[in-house]
Amino acid sequence: MEYEYPTTGPNGLPTYEKPESLAGPSGLDLFSLGQGDQGNQGGIGVAVNAFLWRASLDTLSFLPLASADPFGGVIITDWYNPPESPNERFKVTVYILDRALRSDGIRANVFRQTRTNSGEWRDAAVDESLGKDLENTILTRARQIRIQQASQ
C-alpha cells in the first residue's frame, strides 16, 4: 500500500495536490529522442527538437563546451585551438530554433581569432559557408539518429 503525505500548500495549509512542474506531468526526459508522448518532437518539456539537439552535441563533441541549454536550444563552445594551427582558434554557437526537424530549425555561427606577433588574440574573418556547412552536417546527423531510432 502506498501512502500520500500532504505538502504545504497556499497560505501554509496542508494539501494533497501535486504542484505543477515545468517539465510536465511525467517529468523531464532529455534523451527520449521522440519516444515519449510527443512523437518525434523531442523530450517532454524541451522546447527544441531532440534529434537536432543530440546531433549538435555529437557534431561538436571535439570542441570544449562552455554552455548547453536544452530548454533554450543554445549550445556555446569554448575556444578551440586546432593542433595543426596553433595561431588560430575557433568558437561555435548553435541555435536550435524549432521543435521540428527542419533545415531552418538550426543556425550555427562560427567565430575565429588569430594570434598576433605580440601574443594577443584578434578577431578574424570566417568563410560564410563554414556556418552553413556546420548546419548541414548537424542536419545530416539528426536524420541519421532519427532513422536509427525508427528502426529500433
Side-chain angles (χ1 to χ4, degrees):
M1 178 177 232
E2 189 173 316
Y3 295 100
E4 283 193 35
Y5 297 97
T7 58
T8 304
N11 301 322
L13 299 173
T15 182
Y16 286 93
E17 291 182 23
K18 301 285 184 206
E20 291 186 24
S21 170
L22 290 175
S26 49
L28 177 64
D29 184 6
L30 292 178
F31 302 104
S32 69
L33 293 177
Q35 294 179 349
D37 300 334
Q38 307 214 357
N40 64 5
Q41 297 298 308
I44 297 169
V46 178
V48 299
N49 182 276
F51 298 115
L52 287 173
W53 179 256
R54 183 76 246 161
S56 297
L57 291 174
D58 284 357
T59 304
L60 300 175
S61 64
F62 69 98
L63 298 169
L65 283 181
S67 174
D69 177 11
F71 299 101
V74 179
I75 299 171
I76 303 171
T77 70
D78 205 351
W79 289 104
Y80 171 72
N81 292 81
E84 63 275 2
S85 56
N87 289 326
E88 69 178 347
R89 64 184 186 174
F90 296 90
K91 184 174 188 167
V92 175
T93 303
V94 172
Y95 301 95
I96 300 171
L97 306 170
D98 202 342
R99 289 188 57 89
L101 179 52
R102 302 171 14 154
S103 62
D104 62 350
I106 190 162
R107 186 175 59 219
N109 295 326
V110 179
F111 304 95
R112 179 176 167 252
Q113 289 184 338
T114 56
R115 192 186 324 245
T116 64
N117 292 337
S118 62
E120 296 178 353
W121 291 103
R122 300 279 170 133
D123 292 340
V126 177
D127 186 1
E128 291 180 18
S129 67
L130 196 54
K132 285 292 179 197
D133 290 345
L134 182 57
E135 291 170 10
N136 289 333
T137 301
I138 291 170
L139 285 165
T140 300
R141 180 67 184 130
R143 289 181 194 112
Q144 290 171 346
I145 294 170
R146 183 177 179 190
I147 290 168
Q148 285 176 339
Q149 187 70 32
S151 66
Q152 292 180 356

